[in-house]
């Protein structure tokens, strides 16, 4: 007896569920929990991580992310406007900047700014702000390149009729851009900018190449040092849990914004 289409779809879903459950049970049964527990989930070592992993590592991670995001957003707006400019040299400069810092790995940019720049300028890193400041500058440069393309796409998505209506009312091109185009463009790019914030949150782990002090360690660097000291991976698991506690609500919020924007459109 031939199955109807809906019945075949249900049977296929049930088979997929069964396979996934079987794989999960197999993983649980075959895992050597007696070895994994002490190595990755040691409660004594986890307790030693507090309160430093919160008051120092997590706070620094959020602070570095906020600074890099704000700086990248400001530079990104300028770069996006330059790339949309009718003046050729402005477009060339913006394009070169964006292609350079999008093309290079973030860790290379941070290393170049924090380690190579002091040597090239013959100025000590401390005079330039120290390793933390130089590392953040590198992260800001990377963030600005990615945000510039996101902002440019959002501004270009604003209907041309909005610009034409503003110009017909006597508004100058600059006023039209900043009072009409930019506000509407930002409504479109809020979800992708939230994604950029999440990516920056994780990219702060690359600041270790710039060097750091005890008071300036972010989550990954803090957990890495604790793992080395204790010869145990529990600190890394703790850091991963804190990353998830921060990033999962942000990604859910981004999904909510995307749905809301889609419904409004």
């Amino acid at each position: 007896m031939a199955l109807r289409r809906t019945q075949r779809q249900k049977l296929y879903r049930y088979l997929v569920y069964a396979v996934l459950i079987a794989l999960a049970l197999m993983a649980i049964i075959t895992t050597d929990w007696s070895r994994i527990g002490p190595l990755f989930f040691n409660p004594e070592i986890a307790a030693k991580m507090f309160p430093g992993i919160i008051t120092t590592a997590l706070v620094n991670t959020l602070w570095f992310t906020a600074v890099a995001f704000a700086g990248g957003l400001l530079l990104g707006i300028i770069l996006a406007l330059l790339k949309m400019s009718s003046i050729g040299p402005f477009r060339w400069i913006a394009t070169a900047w964006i292609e350079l810092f999008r093309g290079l790995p973030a860790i290379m940019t941070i290393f170049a700014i924090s380690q190579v720049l002091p040597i090239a300028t013959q100025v000590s890193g401390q005079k330039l702000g120290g390793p933390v400041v130089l590392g953040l500058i590198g992260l800001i440069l990377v963030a600005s390149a990615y945000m510039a393309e996101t902002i440019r796409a959002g501004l270009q998505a604003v209907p041309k009729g909005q610009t034409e209506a503003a110009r017909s009312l006597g508004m100058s091109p600059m006023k039209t851009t900043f009072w009409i185009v930019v506000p509407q463009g930002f409504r479109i790019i809020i979800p992708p900018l939230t994604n950029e914030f999440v990516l920056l949150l994780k990219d702060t782990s690359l600041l270790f190449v710039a060097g750091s002090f005890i008071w300036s360690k972010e989550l990954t660097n803090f957990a890495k040092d604790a793992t080395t000291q204790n010869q145990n991976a529990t600190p890394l698991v703790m850091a991963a849990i804190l990353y998830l506690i921060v990033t999962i609500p942000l990604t859910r919020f981004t999904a909510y914004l995307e749905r809301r924007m889609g419904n409004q459109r």
Side-chain angles (χ1 to χ4, degrees), residues 80-101:
L81 295 176
L82 289 177
K83 192 167 183 179
M84 295 171 61
S85 172
S86 59
I87 302 174
F90 287 172
R91 292 198 308 273
W92 304 335
I93 292 170
T95 301
W97 180 293
I98 292 169
E99 294 301 326
L100 175 64
F101 291 113

Side-chain angles (χ1 to χ4, degrees), residues 59-73 75 97 101 106-107 109-115 117 128-144 200-201 203-212 215-216 218:
V59 169
N60 284 340
T61 298
L62 295 175
W63 171 245
F64 295 158
T65 304
V67 171
F69 183 83
L73 182 62
L75 270 177
W97 180 293
F101 291 113
I107 194 169
T109 301
I110 295 170
F111 180 81
I113 298 298
S114 62
Q115 306 296 335
L117 182 63
L128 293 173
V132 176
V133 172
L134 291 175
L136 278 174
I137 290 173
L139 199 56
I140 287 171
L141 298 182
V142 175
S144 69
L200 273 177
L201 181 74
D203 282 347
T204 55
S205 62
L206 303 176
L207 292 175
F208 77 93
V209 300
S212 62
W215 54 266
S216 66
E218 37 66 46

Side-chain angles (χ1 to χ4, degrees), residues 16-82:
V16 171
Y17 295 153
V19 170
L20 292 176
I21 292 171
L23 291 174
L25 289 174
M26 187 182 299
I28 293 172
I29 293 170
T30 57
T31 299
D32 188 354
W33 294 104
S34 62
R35 293 185 60 191
I36 287 182
L39 285 174
F40 294 92
F41 304 99
N42 190 313
E44 293 181 1
I45 295 176
K48 288 166 57 179
M49 301 289 293
F50 292 95
I53 195 170
I54 302 292
T55 58
T56 299
L58 181 59
V59 169
N60 284 340
T61 298
L62 295 175
W63 171 245
F64 295 158
T65 304
V67 171
F69 183 83
L73 182 62
L74 179 60
L75 270 177
I77 293 172
I78 296 172
L79 289 169
L81 295 176
L82 289 177

